Amino acid sequence: MATPRYTLTLWRIAVFIAALVPLAWWSSQVAINAAGPEPGRYLLLNIGQGILWMLFSTLSLTPLTKLTRWKGFTLIRRQLGLWTLTYALLHLFCYAVFILGLDLSRLGSEIVRRPYIIVGMLALVGLIAMGVTSNKGSMRKLGKRWKTLHKVVYLVLGLGLLHFLWVVRADLEQWSLYAAVGALLMILRIPPIARQLPKFRQLIKRPGRAQA
């Protein structure tokens, strides 16, 4: 049974609002002085983690589509991808404002002290490349190369996790959680496993059929 158009529209609106909620919450914490002694760093770190969760959400869509065959997951792929890029640009903005104080002359010394900045910038370049080519015009123009280009998302995930590891190396327990989620999403994309997802959906449905 096809999903009504209005349901899909409401679904896309709900996803849009859900992506805004964390940003609104973190901003409200800063506004009421509940973000600790360094509100700029609070925003920087939380938005940075938000990038990973947005990326995880985007990468989960293909397995979910195969598992459920629901059109709604496919419809929000570009939306979540662009939200991932938006979070990454906001993360860069926070760094430029709250860490550099908009003084770009400090960037060289910052890179020497914090080489993970280079890793983060490489991940951002990958997100920008995918973001600007996420439209239908680019898909037609690039043809088969479009899918090849967008496989950069796997490299972006690896760079993002490496960047995060470098930042929170004193808290490996937290990083391990993110790494485990990323690893699971990659495992679900291994062809032999990905081919089993539709079969798993059928196994879930069978008990219901038996009861009927």
Side-chain angles (χ1 to χ4, degrees), residues 193-209:
I193 296 176
R195 286 194 292 267
Q196 297 303 313
L197 292 177
K199 296 178 182 179
F200 185 71
R201 178 178 57 84
Q202 294 170 3
L203 287 174
I204 294 175
K205 283 187 173 182
R206 280 178 186 173
R209 289 177 182 174

Side-chain angles (χ1 to χ4, degrees), residues 13-171:
I13 292 172
V15 170
F16 182 89
I17 294 172
L20 274 178
V21 166
L23 296 174
W25 171 255
W26 297 326
S27 298
S28 70
Q29 294 302 291
V30 171
I32 63 175
N33 297 318
E38 297 183 273
R41 188 171 294 276
Y42 168 87
L43 287 174
L44 179 70
L45 294 176
N46 278 288
I47 292 174
Q49 292 179 57
I51 299 169
L52 286 173
W53 284 115
M54 284 294 166
L55 190 55
F56 291 157
S57 298
T58 305
L59 288 170
S60 72
L61 295 176
T62 295
L64 285 172
T65 301
K66 290 182 178 181
L67 188 61
T68 65
R69 289 187 181 177
W70 187 49
K71 182 181 178 181
F73 292 123
T74 303
L75 283 179
I76 63 169
R77 180 180 286 116
R78 181 170 185 259
Q79 183 181 359
L80 283 182
L82 290 176
W83 269 116
T84 305
L85 175 58
T86 300
Y87 269 62
L89 291 173
L90 287 173
H91 184 63
L92 176 63
F93 175 78
C94 288
Y95 175 76
V97 173
F98 300 117
I99 305 301
L100 294 181
L102 295 178
D103 182 3
L104 296 182
S105 65
R106 295 174 52 195
L107 185 58
S109 60
E110 279 287 306
I111 289 175
V112 173
R113 291 175 53 203
R114 301 181 176 93
Y116 55 78
I117 294 172
I118 298 175
V119 176
M121 290 302 295
L122 288 173
L124 177 59
V125 169
L127 287 173
I128 291 173
M130 290 186 291
V132 298
T133 59
S134 63
N135 54 79
K136 291 182 179 179
S138 295
M139 292 176 70
R140 287 193 299 268
K141 185 176 180 179
L142 292 172
K144 293 181 179 180
R145 292 175 296 169
W146 187 88
K147 283 190 175 182
T148 302
L149 172 61
H150 280 250
K151 286 181 180 178
V152 169
V153 68
Y154 307 133
L155 176 61
V156 169
L157 175 60
L159 290 171
L161 288 171
L162 176 59
H163 177 78
F164 189 46
L165 172 63
W166 225 325
V167 172
V168 297
R169 53 188 178 273
D171 187 2

